Amino acid sequence: MQPALPSPPNQTPGAPVRRRWARALAGRGSWWWVPLVLSVLFTVSVAVWLELSDRADLESRQRQLITDSLSLEAQITERVGEEQVQLNELAHSFDVSQSPAALAKQEAVVDGLSRLWQSVSWVDADTRLVAVVPDGIDIAERPGLSAHLSAPLRDAFGKPAGRLVVRYAPATLLRQTVPWWLAHEYDVRLVDGYGQVVADPLKAGDHEAPPEESHRHSLEPAMPDTYLELSLHESLRPWWLRLPIVMMGVFLLMISVATGLLRFQMNEVLRTQAALRTEAAWRQAMEDSLTVGLRARDVDGTLVYVNRAFCDLVGFGPEELIGRATPMPYWPPDAIDDSMSRHLRNMAGGAPRDGYEARWVRKDGRPIDIMLFEAPLVDASGRHIGWMGSILDITERKRLEERERHQTDSMAHQARLTMLGEVASALAHQLNQPLTSITGYAAGVKRLLERAGEPDPRLVDAMTRLGDQAAEAGRIVKRIREFLTRRSPQRETMDLVEAAHRALALLGRELRRLQLHVEWAVAANLPKVDADPVLIEQVVLNLVRNACDEMVGVPAAQRRLRVSISRAGSSAMPGASDAEGFLRLDVDDAGPGLRGRSVEQLVTPFYSTKPDGMGMGLAICRSIIEAHHGAFDASAGSFGGARFSFTLPVAGAWPSSELPLDEGQPAAHSQDHP
């Protein structure tokens, strides 16, 4: 293809055509009537168009009238449905065994009377009126027409016990439902099937609109035999009353002349605009290719420009940001004051030249960390008109830095715990000798008292308990030391119920301080289990102590603690081959509960819900239970708090070669055992 030849100098591409038309018109002097005829024809065509437009407007107004009527009918139906739901909830929660005066004290009744209801009537199963709220006002004496809602009442055994009937005024319903703009445009009222007015809150009076400017729509089933009627306030005036033909002809003539004179100039403007659009498209493509967010603000701080990268960063579209002034939608709600102070500093020209870090919030609520650089924005004349900002997303970098810091802290914490384990093992070794001495001294004192003849029984009993407790402490220290040195538990046939009682006896003072009575739910004829008594007592002790700590903030009258022991039974964890071969112990409390945390999260090492906790108590409990081939679980308790459970194998039920693996243990169940 050959390139197009340039136009001759001082000659535009359309000049020959314009000259031909000019010569043709100049040579035909008898065509003076052509503009007049064209004007008349144009005026007639406009008149026809106006007539058709009036008809189209009338149809459009009728469609809009029907649409508004359907919309208002939906709002009224929804409002009546909401009131019915409120009444159903009131009837469902209402206790029919109460006195009639209790109806007026119901919060839903008070809210309904302040909102829409005129009265609430309680009718028993024999259709006798039990109570009316407000009291002392005859329902028949209330002014105006009314509508009714009803809901069935049932007694404590689920049998029908009457109904609650609510009386409300349709006029009040209309006043509360009709939007102001709809009332400004239409006369809205309710009529019955005979055309009689049921409710006319806006006093439309006897105004009767033409059929094409009014519409009725049934409110069935929300309001039986009731119609919603909408009528237009103003009628559509015909076109000949709105547009003088002579003035329109003169105007069209002036427009024709002006169009002919401006045509050439418009062509030049269009060519200039095309060049500007091309340049703007180039600039937009370059800005969209950037990964750095850009924003421009005027001297008042109003956003005047954002690029695509900035919108992707904050999650808002350009239409939501352009023209937005402070506070910005991406500022953190809890740091508005800090963001405003930085904004005022930047508007005063005090932004750091090396940039500064800040935290914003995306539209979806996710926080992001950014690095922001500000620079003055000047126009072509060098006048300062605002500020241009470049924004980098440093959220991932900050997250990596936080992860590295957390890993460093975790490693330091783990090192401290390792050292603590070594110290505990050494301490347990050192405590064995003094505990043995205490046991020996207690036994010696007891024998000396018995030899003295008729000793005080209280002293003998005290020395006996002293020796027993010292021996028990020695066993506990020995087992803990063995556990810390990674030895297997010393299993023996033991009574789980007795071990639980011994563990709670050690916490007797703490339970009395909390005014907490322990409920026991122990099934009959429970077998013994194969376990280490000392370690199992420590597990029960830890679970009960955790429950007590959780109930410190609970009122004393609401504190409850239950220890349940039964066979694992039907609620064993899937995967166990024989759930009957396990006993289950549950500890239920009335504390705040798990608060959405799973058992895996609670037993994670170093995780603790206590400010001074080490995060190892539950983790050690779980390791002890799994070392006994049992399962450890946590769930919602029967008192509204938490339930911690574990299972242990029944003595003799599992041969040592057939003990289930840790991942297939029976899980603690969540039902109560009476």
Side-chain angles (χ1 to χ4, degrees), residues 245-317:
I245 297 299
V246 176
M247 294 183 61
M248 186 182 67
V250 174
F251 174 75
L252 292 176
L253 179 61
M254 295 174 61
I255 290 296
S256 300
V257 174
T259 302
L261 295 175
L262 294 177
R263 184 175 181 82
F264 179 78
Q265 185 64 26
M266 287 297 300
N267 289 335
E268 295 295 329
V269 172
L270 291 176
R271 282 193 292 270
T272 304
Q273 289 180 348
L276 291 176
R277 284 194 296 269
T278 302
E279 182 179 355
W282 277 85
R283 187 189 69 178
Q284 186 66 34
M286 289 187 292
E287 293 174 353
D288 290 342
S289 65
L290 296 176
T291 58
V292 178
L294 297 177
R295 71 173 184 187
R297 297 181 293 178
D298 59 16
V299 293
D300 297 326
T302 303
L303 284 173
V304 295
Y305 167 77
V306 291
N307 69 339
R308 186 174 63 181
F310 184 87
C311 295
D312 294 340
L313 178 65
V314 299
F316 291 92

Side-chain angles (χ1 to χ4, degrees), residues 312-335:
D312 294 340
L313 178 65
V314 299
F316 291 92
E319 67 281 356
E320 300 177 90
L321 296 174
I322 301 298
R324 187 70 180 263
T326 56
M328 297 302 174
Y330 45 79
W331 285 0
D334 55 349

Side-chain angles (χ1 to χ4, degrees), residues 429-443 467 470-471 473-475:
H429 177 72
Q430 296 296 328
L431 287 176
N432 277 328
Q433 183 174 356
L435 289 175
T436 303
S437 300
I438 293 173
T439 304
Y441 285 134
R475 288 195 299 271

Side-chain angles (χ1 to χ4, degrees), residues 311-462:
C311 295
D312 294 340
L313 178 65
V314 299
F316 291 92
E319 67 281 356
E320 300 177 90
L321 296 174
I322 301 298
R324 187 70 180 263
T326 56
M328 297 302 174
Y330 45 79
W331 285 0
D334 55 349
I336 294 295
D337 295 337
D338 294 341
S339 301
M340 182 61 71
S341 62
R342 284 196 299 267
H343 167 78
L344 296 177
R345 179 199 64 189
N346 297 343
M347 289 294 99
R353 296 182 60 85
D354 297 334
Y356 63 93
E357 295 183 5
R359 170 159 289 192
W360 289 352
V361 177
R362 287 175 50 86
K363 185 178 182 179
D364 57 7
R366 179 168 59 88
I368 55 174
D369 295 302
I370 56 98
M371 175 68 76
L372 194 146
F373 302 88
E374 293 276 7
L377 184 63
V378 297
D379 59 7
S381 60
R383 183 171 57 92
H384 178 227
I385 59 174
W387 299 89
M388 174 62 73
S390 302
I391 298 91
L392 297 176
D393 186 0
I394 59 173
T395 304
E396 189 62 27
R397 190 187 77 184
K398 300 285 285 187
R399 185 180 295 113
L400 292 176
E401 294 176 354
E402 181 66 20
R403 184 182 303 171
E404 292 178 359
R405 186 189 64 80
H406 182 70
Q407 290 177 350
T408 302
D409 294 343
S410 297
M411 292 176 64
H413 192 189
Q414 187 172 7
R416 292 195 299 269
L417 289 178
T418 302
M419 183 180 297
L420 178 62
E422 296 175 356
V423 173
S425 179
L427 184 61
H429 177 72
Q430 296 296 328
L431 287 176
N432 277 328
Q433 183 174 356
L435 289 175
T436 303
S437 300
I438 293 173
T439 304
Y441 285 134
V445 172
K446 180 181 177 182
R447 285 195 296 271
L448 291 175
L449 290 173
E450 291 175 348
R451 291 175 183 175
E454 296 183 0
D456 189 345
R458 293 177 297 177
L459 292 177
V460 175
D461 182 65

Side-chain angles (χ1 to χ4, degrees), residues 100 112 118 120 159 205 340 463 468 498 552 577:
Q118 288 183 328
V120 181
K159 297 181 179 180
M340 182 61 71
M463 298 311 299
D468 294 342
E498 292 182 1
V552 169
S577 58

Side-chain angles (χ1 to χ4, degrees), residues 49-51 53-55 57 235-245:
W49 175 78
L50 287 175
E51 177 64 24
S53 178
D54 282 354
R55 296 179 182 179
D57 288 342
S235 301
L236 184 65
R237 299 179 62 187
W239 62 270
W240 58 84
L241 299 178
R242 291 181 281 117
L243 186 65
I245 297 299

Side-chain angles (χ1 to χ4, degrees), residues 654-668:
W654 296 93
S656 59
S657 60
E658 297 180 4
L659 279 173
L661 299 177
D662 292 345
E663 62 270 20
Q665 302 307 318

